[in-house]
Amino acid sequence: MTLDEELLVAARKAGTASAAAQNQADIAKAVYHHTVLRLHRAGGSMREIAEALQISHQRVHQIVEQSKRTERCWFCGRGAGDVGKLMAGPAALICDLCVAEARTGETGDCSFCSETKPVHEGTDARICRSCLDFSAAVISGAASLR
């Protein structure tokens, strides 16, 4: 039996669309979880966050705990336990080691400020010079407070 070429093309196209949609959903979920964690870090209680997002406080607790265990630098992949500090942007995390070593080059969209500038390209994110400098200042300021 020979496969219908039109149906085969349609199936391939649907498969590609499905994979792209899943990728977008995974990204949206990661950004959502990261933002919930940032709300918690900014001083919001789990109950306050749950009320504002209209979800259970147990779900917020799960998201916060899972995020803490899986936090990693989006540039080098090191876990939170393997670096001194992680700097959180709106859609990415960068560790103190990558901030110190990063060199900007090719133009791209910064994952921290969303501007198109020369960026340092990491595994899962990009960061521009001004956001690198800001991250370095925050990290060094946090270190001096210890």
Side-chain angles (χ1 to χ4, degrees):
M1 179 167 123
T2 305
L3 295 175
D4 183 319
E5 283 300 316
E6 282 184 43
L7 288 175
L8 191 55
V9 167
R12 286 183 180 136
K13 186 176 179 181
T16 300
S18 174
Q22 183 62 52
N23 188 43
Q24 286 299 105
D26 291 344
I27 290 168
K29 181 179 177 182
V31 169
Y32 176 63
H33 285 196
H34 181 69
T35 307
V36 168
L37 182 62
R38 289 180 67 215
L39 282 167
H40 183 64
R41 282 186 177 151
S45 75
M46 292 188 197
R47 289 199 187 275
E48 288 174 316
I49 296 167
E51 258 181 48
L53 297 177
Q54 298 179 333
I55 59 177
S56 73
H57 85 280
Q58 291 92 342
R59 182 65 188 130
V60 173
H61 186 346
Q62 289 172 337
I63 291 169
V64 168
E65 290 306 311
Q66 176 188 2
S67 294
K68 285 180 181 177
R69 285 192 304 273
T70 60
E71 278 185 332
R72 62 177 180 78
C73 177
W74 289 32
F75 292 83
C76 66
R78 292 180 189 110
D82 299 326
V83 299
K85 293 273 182 210
L86 278 173
M87 177 71 182
L93 294 169
I94 187 167
C95 72
D96 54 340
L97 303 171
C98 285
V99 167
E101 298 169 358
R103 304 286 177 257
T104 56
E106 296 292 317
T107 299
D109 294 333
C110 178
S111 301
F112 287 75
C113 68
S114 300
E115 292 184 24
T116 303
K117 298 178 175 180
V119 293
H120 171 73
E121 183 121 12
T123 306
D124 297 319
R126 298 180 186 123
I127 189 167
C128 68
R129 173 52 49 201
S130 58
C131 289
L132 276 167
D133 292 343
F134 176 76
S135 297
V138 169
I139 288 169
S140 67
S144 68
L145 293 175
R146 288 189 219 171

